[in-house]
Amino acid sequence: MELFELLNFYVIPGIVLGSIYALGAVGITLIFAILRYAHLAHGDLATFGAFVALACVTGMGIPPLAALPIAILVTAAIAVGIDKVFYEHLRDRPKIVTVMASLGIALMLRSVVQVVWGVDTQTYSRGIVRPEDYFGLRIRDRELYTVAALIFLVGGLQLFLTRSKWGKAMRAMSDNPNLALLSGIDNRKVVMLTWVIAGGLCAASGFFLGYNTEIKSMMGWHMLLPMFAAAILGGVGRVEGAVLGGLIVGIAEELSVLVIPSEYKAAMAFAILLFMLLVRPTGLLKGKVL
């Protein structure tokens, strides 16, 4: 197999898929670092964001990329609302209770999507998108937009966490919640901000998966395992680790079709997750969270 064939048909799609996983994994790692539980509704929240963007495209007639900011805002608001209604009163209960509640939220979100938008496969735009040639690399514009969005959103998040007052408050909460509370940090605002960011990243992840492939009501559920695998692989609580883990999982899935049937490539995320939990449960990048 030629080098450019390997890059064009496996590595580049793997990087794009990994960027999508990374966007979702960053949200997972933020929630775990600050709220200390695994959010099982993350994938279906991404699906909801993708369908909100679809509603803007079909209902308002705007381009898909113009619908993305609207989907981010709506999904962030929904995430905050879910926390207020369903999770807030469980703060003092064992974390496993909230984890199980998030599974119920996942089923609820999926049902809402299926009732409102149906179960048929849909797309943001019709027609064949031909790739452009960049020195032998054949890349579609939407693939460039996906990777650029990952760089822009995660780069902006890192600047926010390291330079802003509330970003530093989030880092303090993830490091030592009790000390952060004694220092006067408003826990409720930090939690709300965490859900705003996680919900927005969910919407971006679901949107770009649908933008590069198709939109399905079950796509978020299928994304959940790779996103968790990416977060654990990189090191739970590390934003840059989630990005690294997402790219590794995405590329591994695409390269796996060279040795196994394509129907089983989703098993690579499970294999990576199992391997990391057995060999290095702290992840590739361990250390101070956020």
Side-chain angles (χ1 to χ4, degrees):
M1 180 180 295
E2 295 183 0
L3 175 61
F4 281 106
E5 184 179 348
L6 179 67
L7 292 174
N8 288 327
F9 291 102
Y10 301 101
V11 176
I12 291 176
I15 292 174
V16 174
L17 184 62
S19 299
I20 294 168
Y21 290 158
L23 287 169
V26 170
I28 287 175
T29 208
L30 277 176
I31 293 172
F32 189 88
I34 295 173
L35 302 179
R36 300 294 196 273
Y37 63 83
H39 188 232
L40 299 183
H42 213 73
D44 289 285
L45 194 59
T47 302
F48 184 83
F51 275 93
V52 169
L54 178 67
C56 295
V57 171
T58 58
M60 301 168 62
I62 60 178
L65 288 175
L68 176 58
I70 300 174
I72 288 175
L73 292 175
V74 172
T75 308
I78 292 296
V80 172
I82 288 173
D83 177 68
K84 291 291 184 183
V85 175
F86 297 102
Y87 298 153
E88 189 174 49
H89 68 284
L90 300 175
R91 296 268 196 268
D92 298 327
R93 303 286 297 276
K95 297 301 181 185
I96 187 63
V97 177
T98 309
V99 173
M100 296 308 296
S102 71
L103 180 59
I105 297 300
L107 298 174
M108 180 186 71
L109 285 171
R110 195 181 313 155
S111 298
V112 169
V113 167
Q114 291 174 345
V115 168
V116 175
W117 287 284
V119 296
D120 295 332
T121 300
Q122 303 188 56
T123 59
Y124 288 118
S125 59
R126 303 288 182 181
I128 299 174
V129 180
R130 299 188 182 279
E132 300 290 337
D133 191 283
Y134 297 91
F135 306 102
L137 299 177
R138 300 183 63 79
I139 306 173
R140 297 183 299 173
D141 288 346
R142 59 186 58 186
E143 293 172 338
L144 291 176
Y145 297 149
T146 302
V147 177
L150 171 68
I151 295 171
F152 175 77
L153 292 174
V154 175
L157 176 60
Q158 283 287 61
L159 287 175
F160 173 78
L161 291 174
T162 55
R163 302 291 178 85
S164 70
K165 171 186 174 182
W166 284 108
K168 292 176 181 178
M170 291 176 66
R171 294 172 64 196
M173 283 292 296
S174 71
D175 189 37
N176 192 323
N178 294 327
L179 184 59
L181 290 173
L182 290 175
S183 301
I185 293 175
D186 191 333
N187 178 48
R188 291 175 299 176
K189 289 184 179 179
V190 170
V191 171
M192 183 179 72
L193 191 56
T194 301
W195 281 108
V196 167
I197 296 172
L201 290 172
C202 268
S205 179
F207 169 82
F208 281 110
L209 181 61
Y211 194 44
N212 285 278
T213 57
E214 296 173 324
I215 312 170
K216 303 177 183 178
S217 61
M218 291 293 293
M219 69 180 190
W221 181 250
H222 296 152
M223 289 171 62
L224 190 63
L225 179 58
M227 290 192 299
F228 267 96
I232 293 173
L233 174 61
V236 176
R238 299 292 297 268
V239 171
E240 64 274 24
V243 174
L244 176 63
L247 293 173
I248 292 175
V249 171
I251 293 173
E253 281 195 7
E254 292 299 324
L255 289 177
S256 67
V257 301
L258 294 173
V259 293
I260 62 175
S262 59
E263 294 83 1
Y264 297 101
K265 72 176 185 179
M268 283 301 299
F270 176 76
I272 292 172
L273 178 61
L274 183 62
F275 178 78
M276 289 303 299
L277 289 175
L278 290 174
V279 176
R280 192 181 175 90
T282 55
L284 297 175
L285 303 179
K286 62 179 180 179
K288 187 177 179 181
V289 294
L290 294 188

